[in-house]
Amino acid sequence: MGGGPMNRRQIMLAGGAAVLGGAGIAGYAATRTGSMDDYAARMSELRRPLAGRGADRELVRYATLAANGHNTQPWRFRAEAGGIAIRPDLARRTPVVDPDDHHLFASLGCAAENMALAASAQGRGGALHFEGAGEGAVVFTPGSASDHPADLFAAIPQRQSTRAEYDGEPLSASELAQLEEAARVPGVDLVLITEPRRLAQVRDLVVAGNTAQMADPDFVRELKDWLRFSPRQALAAGDGLFTGASGNPVAPAWLGGMMFDLFFTADAENEKYARQMASSSGVAVFLAERDDPEHWVKAGRACQRFALKATALGLRHAFVNQPVEVADMRGEMAALAGLPGRRPDIVMRFGRGPVLPYSPRRPVEAVLTA
C-alpha cells in the first residue's frame, strides 16, 4: 500500500494464485475474480453528475455516496410529507464494533449532509432535522434556497476514505483553517492535531485499540463478514470493504477468505497503521456536545463536510476510529483532544496521497422504500 513494501498478506495472496497451478485453473480463478475495469466502470456510473431539479432519486443517489461504517450503507430513504426521511436499516447493524449504533447514526448524518448539498445544487434548498421517535430518522424538508458551498457538492462523487500511506507533508495554515470552517456544525467541536508528539500519542491509541479489537474473535468474524475480496463479489454485494479499494490484491472470494484466516494478524495490522499514521499530516477529532443519536448525526454531518472540503483541496482522509470503538480508550482520546469528559465521535487522519478505486454502493432501488 502507498508505494511501500508488500506486506505478508499481499505476498501470500499472490502466492495463493500461483498455487492454483496451470493455465486452466488460473484462468478459472480469474473468471471468479472478475474485472477491475468492469468494476471501475460501474463505480463511475454510480458517480455520474447529478440530474436536474426535482429528482428525489438523484438526491438519494448522491446521499448514498457518503461515508459510513464498514460500508454497510445502513440507511433507508422514503419520501414523507414533502420531504425525504433517512431511517436506519437495522438489518445492517454491526453490533460488535458498534453496539450502541453510534456509527450507524453518524453514517445517517453523513448521508443527510450529502443530500442537503445536492438539493442546494438543484436549486431546491431545505433543512435537516432529527426525529427521535421510534427508530429515529433524519428528515430533509425542502424549503427556501440554502447556502451550501458549491465546492463541497462538487467533491461528493470524488470523496473516498483512502486507506493508504500519504506523503507526510504538513498542511498550510490556510488549508487547516478552511477544513475547520467547512466542518462547523452547531453542537460539534472539531479538534485538529498536527504536532508530531500528539500525533504519536494518537498512533499509540490506534495501535492499542486495534490490538484489543483483533483479540476479540467476534470482532474479527464481523469484519470478515463485510470484506469483499474480488471485483465480482463487490459488484454483486454492492456494499462492504472491497480489498481492491484499499490498495490490496484482489482474489476469488474463497481464496481471499482463506488467506484472511491465515495471515490477518494484529502485528501486521499494527505495523500498517503505524506507517499510515506516520505518513499523515494530521488527525481530526470530532466530539459532539452530547452523547445521543441526534448529536451522533450532527457529528456525522461535520465529518462529511470536513471530508468533502479535504477532497476539494486535493487531500485524502481515512478513519482511524479504534480509540472511539474501544470504550476504555475514549477517555484518553478525549483528554488528548483537550475535551476531557466528552465522548469522541470520529477520528480521521488526513494528508496528501494517492487516489484508490472507489468503494461499492448499492443502487437507489435497494435503499429507496415506498
Side-chain angles (χ1 to χ4, degrees), residues 237-259:
D239 60 15
L241 301 167
F242 175 38
T243 57
S246 58
N248 283 310
V250 300
W254 65 268
L255 177 60
M258 181 178 68
M259 294 297 105

Side-chain angles (χ1 to χ4, degrees), residues 286-308:
F286 299 84
L287 306 96
E289 292 176 354
R290 293 173 55 188
D291 186 14
D292 59 32
E294 180 177 5
H295 284 76
W296 301 342
V297 166
K298 290 182 177 182
R301 291 184 59 195
C303 161
Q304 185 70 11
R305 291 177 66 86
F306 179 98
L308 292 172

Side-chain angles (χ1 to χ4, degrees), residues 181-227:
E181 179 61 29
R184 291 189 192 279
V185 170
V188 181
D189 288 303
L190 166 63
V191 177
L192 297 182
I193 298 175
T194 58
E195 302 89 346
R197 179 183 62 83
R198 294 174 71 202
L199 284 175
Q201 291 175 296
V202 178
R203 175 205 62 205
D204 291 346
L205 284 178
V206 170
V207 168
N210 184 66
T211 300
Q213 288 179 325
M214 292 196 59
D216 180 357
D218 290 334
F219 169 85
V220 175
R221 188 177 305 112
E222 182 178 78
L223 174 63
K224 184 181 178 182
D225 284 345
W226 288 101
L227 287 176

Side-chain angles (χ1 to χ4, degrees), residues 71-162:
N71 195 27
T72 64
Q73 303 162 45
W75 41 52
R76 293 178 290 117
F77 299 82
R78 182 178 178 181
E80 295 183 3
I84 301 175
I86 310 174
R87 300 189 180 279
D89 185 344
L90 299 180
R92 291 176 167 270
R93 297 180 65 238
T94 48
V96 179
V97 74
D98 187 30
D100 61 357
D101 294 329
H102 170 279
H103 286 353
L104 186 154
F105 279 98
S107 299
L108 299 189
C110 293
E113 191 60 37
N114 270 15
M115 178 170 287
L117 289 165
S120 181
Q122 285 185 335
R124 300 171 66 178
L128 296 168
H129 68 275
F130 181 77
E131 289 187 354
E135 307 173 329
V138 189
V139 180
F140 171 75
T141 305
S144 59
S146 50
D147 181 20
H148 284 283
D151 63 335
L152 300 192
F153 163 74
I156 290 174
Q158 282 74 46
R159 187 214 61 83
Q160 62 175 202
S161 183
T162 309

Side-chain angles (χ1 to χ4, degrees), residues 265-281:
T265 68
D267 286 347
E269 289 298 291
N270 286 342
E271 290 173 5
K272 178 190 71 177
Y273 279 118
R275 291 195 308 271
Q276 291 179 347
M277 289 294 298
S279 76
S280 299
S281 303

Side-chain angles (χ1 to χ4, degrees), residues 162 171 175 179 307 309-317 350-353:
T162 309
L171 301 191
E175 289 170 320
L179 291 170
K309 187 63 179 184
T311 303
L313 292 172
L315 306 173
R316 307 289 165 235
H317 66 275
F350 57 87
R352 291 184 176 83

